[in-house]
Amino acid sequence: MTTLLLPTPATQANQAASAAADSELVISAGPVAFVDDGDTATVTLTVRAADDGALAEPVSVDWRTGSGTATADADYAAGSGTIEFAAGTPSGTERSIRIPTRESDGGETAETVPVVLESRDAEVSGASAVVVRAHDLPYLDPRLSTKRRVADLVNRMTLEEKVGQMTQAERGSVAGDPAVITELGLGSVLSGGGSPPAENTPEGWADAIDGFQTQALATRLQIPLIYGVDSVHGHGNLNGATILPHNIGLGATRDPLLVARAERMVATETRATGIPWTFAPCVCVARDDRWGRTYESFGEHPALASVLGAAAVAGFQGTRLDSSKSVLATAKHFAADGDTAYGTGEGDYTVDQGITEQSRDHVEAVDLPPYVAALAVGVGSVMPSFSSIDWTDDGLGNPVKMHANDELINGWLKDDHEFDGFVISDWQGIHQIPPLASDSPTTAQIVTSVNAGIDMFMEPSQFERFHTRLVAAVQDGQVTEERIDDAVSRILAAKFELGLFEEPFADRSHADEIGSAEHRAIARKAVAESQVLLKNSRRALPLDEDESVYVAGRNADNLGNQAGGWTGTWQGFSGDVTEGTTILEGIQAVADDVTFSEDASAPTDGADVGVVVVGETPYAEGFGDVGGPEWAYDPADGGVFREEKSMSLQPGDAELVERVCAEIKTCVVLVVSGRPQVLTEQLGSIDALVASWLPGTEGAGVADVLFGDRRFTGRLPVSWPRSADDPVVNVGDADYDPLFPFGWGMSTGGRTSHLDDQRIALQDAVLDPVNGVPPAASKAIARSDVAQLEGREAVAGRILNAAAPEDGH
């Protein structure tokens, strides 16, 4: 096993002394005091009284150096003594112990000097040790290439240390006993959705992660942790972070430069809390919008997901990973998780974690191009999907879980496309590899997934079992040491490139930028560009700020609903999930005469315009599937199950639209949702219809386009279906007939390109205010948009020209 450098929590003598001590007085010392070889270490003791008052009686603390991996006299000056805290000493007072170390002649790994503390006057909390840093070894030399540093370090590692680097635990599983990080030599810790530290502030995050990092650096090789989090549309676990529109909204912007800038902002906020790794972006191609992760996709066509997925990776990683504004990106979920068949979902899920039943040619053409694009810009990690692939080439009936898919991970990703980053499993993802077992991960599951090419394993609570069983599997010959060395080399290379060996602790220099006006302005622009104007009869938009505005709908003044899942918690929740501006507040900041009635029970009183904000309530994977299970497990839910997910407007929303649109002459409807909502029956009564997606914390961006401070430029990233009974409609379908096609988006004036002028003119000519867009025009607009995404603008223009009505109307 890994050589342990920290002492056990207490010696028998300490335990006896603690039992006799005054329980209202506590002596504590930091678990680790780091010192450079040849310097003097300082161990700081702190005395605390239960009432934080002054000490009523004197407190004595005896100390002595214990027996660790350092050699007394040769490596350090052994010592002992007594520290006195006199009566009247204020609670929180500190005293220091100084322990000189001896400079060595050559390079060494880290060594430990335990410091034993005993007191009959107070309880001694925890244990402490001096760690003499590793020094003068090739892997610690930043002047050497990453390849040489990795090779040197791997050659020094034991099997147990290597497997430790392949093991990732969840914050909540190690927070109570962080010494397990040292004991197993863990390579990584993550925070799952809704797993912040006790103090959910930038400083609280950085302090907690630095505490975990301290434990990692107490190992003999001092390999730093890499901490990961799902910053999928901002640092969603952090209260006060800037939250972007989800990817489906970013897909509507068609703006790769904006996406890169926005993700750079997210990277800055994430890294400022001590986190150098995000499990983003999702580069899936969503082919069935009943999937609960549809909003994590940039769109239904691989060209759109490729362009914006690559932009997101570039934004996250920047030009240097060791920058304080960069994080390692993760392309997920490999591969084809947006292409699973309805009804094949895992457990009660209907789509999520299901089976992709397609040919190899289809997957190569539709699902894999975004990974090619992400690899081209140097994405550092890839995460497999929970889903399975069942190739139709050899007949259905033999699906393979992606976490066990040697053909695609080792073959397509690593061999064919020369991916040199590392593959991280999803949350207990290998537990679903058959045969299933109650004691997962089983040795068979571990062996299958390691040999399929997974390098690091997200085992939130079963990390110790994973570690033990993988070590045994290598010793038994089921996994080769060469495969282990390959996995560890990939992980270590990322850590070197991130600069973690030189700066393992949180760089807090950008903490004051988290949630700043500058960052919120970036998100606000992204919100404005994500808004898609589907219909605009009688020039209902833009609104005049002098008009009286009647606002209704449950999503008008609900930050949680407009942020969606992966905000605050895994599934997200309605209400004040974080800090931000609701859509209503954005409207109120522009217009002087605003009446808000969530359920439209207040009189409309002759309002000039009605704005009805409807749509979905928050959800994430699995529980967001149409027909899937319902969530009731966030504290905000109070045990009440959330509404069943649907592709249609909820009945209450539909009724609200009909009521307000019947009473107010000009009626604008905003749909705040993670996917299209079928409202074909209501379309005729709506003057202006906007797909607002899930805008995040900056609701003022919606008001910007409503009132004309910015023009509408967004275009549909997915086709908008006519019927909830037949909701699967994608560009390229032979019978393509959506209500609004892929690429559709009306404008409210301003300068546009010649190609946009052509598209807008065609849209104005063909839109039926009651029945939407006819099939022929839908095909032309969608095909043209794909051609434009692929850089074939001349072809896009010819398609639009051919579809234009002969009379020009």
Side-chain angles (χ1 to χ4, degrees), residues 439-564:
D439 63 339
S440 291
T442 64
T443 297
Q445 290 168 332
I446 294 168
V447 168
T448 297
S449 54
V450 172
N451 287 337
I454 296 178
D455 303 305
M456 184 184 283
F457 292 79
M458 190 183 293
E459 287 294 325
S461 59
Q462 298 301 329
F463 55 91
E464 292 176 279
R465 178 184 292 168
F466 168 83
H467 187 280
T468 298
R469 289 179 173 176
L470 179 52
V471 168
V474 177
Q475 292 170 338
D476 292 343
Q478 298 180 72
V479 177
T480 66
E481 289 217 39
E482 289 78 11
R483 168 78 268 269
I484 298 298
D485 286 353
D486 172 61
V488 175
S489 295
R490 292 167 179 269
I491 295 164
L492 294 177
K495 293 184 177 185
F496 281 119
E497 293 296 323
L498 284 162
L500 296 178
F501 280 83
E502 287 67 55
E503 297 291 342
F505 296 110
D507 181 338
R508 309 178 190 215
S509 58
H510 297 289
D512 60 351
E513 297 177 34
I514 295 172
S516 66
E518 180 183 357
H519 283 188
R520 292 186 184 275
I522 295 170
R524 181 171 176 171
K525 182 181 181 184
V527 172
E529 290 195 21
S530 74
Q531 304 298 293
V532 181
L533 182 57
L534 300 175
K535 177 183 177 182
N536 194 24
S537 296
R538 298 185 296 110
R539 305 290 181 185
L541 293 178
L543 302 177
D544 190 321
E545 62 186 42
D546 294 326
E547 292 179 307
S548 58
V549 183
Y550 185 93
V551 181
R554 61 182 180 158
N555 285 355
D557 193 32
N558 196 304
L559 200 61
N561 286 3
Q562 73 183 46

Side-chain angles (χ1 to χ4, degrees), residues 322-393:
D322 60 357
S323 165
S324 59
K325 294 187 174 184
S326 294
V327 294
L328 193 77
T330 307
K332 68 182 190 183
H333 301 87
F334 185 78
D337 60 332
D339 212 355
T340 53
Y342 190 85
T344 66
E346 187 76 19
D348 294 335
Y349 301 164
T350 55
V351 189
D352 197 47
Q353 305 181 19
I355 302 173
T356 298
E357 300 172 336
Q358 298 287 359
S359 68
R360 286 177 173 81
D361 286 346
H362 171 94
V363 171
E364 188 77 44
V366 173
D367 300 301
L368 290 174
Y371 293 95
V372 176
L375 293 173
V377 293
V379 69
S381 62
V382 170
M383 180 183 290
S385 170
F386 283 115
S387 62
S388 305
I389 288 187
D390 192 351
W391 301 119
T392 56
D393 308 64

Side-chain angles (χ1 to χ4, degrees), residues 548-552 584 588 592-597 602-605 607 611:
S548 58
V549 183
Y550 185 93
V551 181
L584 173 66
Q588 290 171 329
D592 293 328
D593 186 359
V594 179
T595 299
F596 173 58
S597 178
T604 55
D605 287 337
V611 177

Side-chain angles (χ1 to χ4, degrees), residues 781-801:
I781 290 168
R783 287 177 54 226
S784 172
D785 191 52
V786 170
Q788 186 177 8
L789 287 166
E790 294 174 342
R792 300 179 294 121
E793 296 214 356
V795 173
R798 288 196 295 269
I799 293 171
L800 293 175
N801 276 333

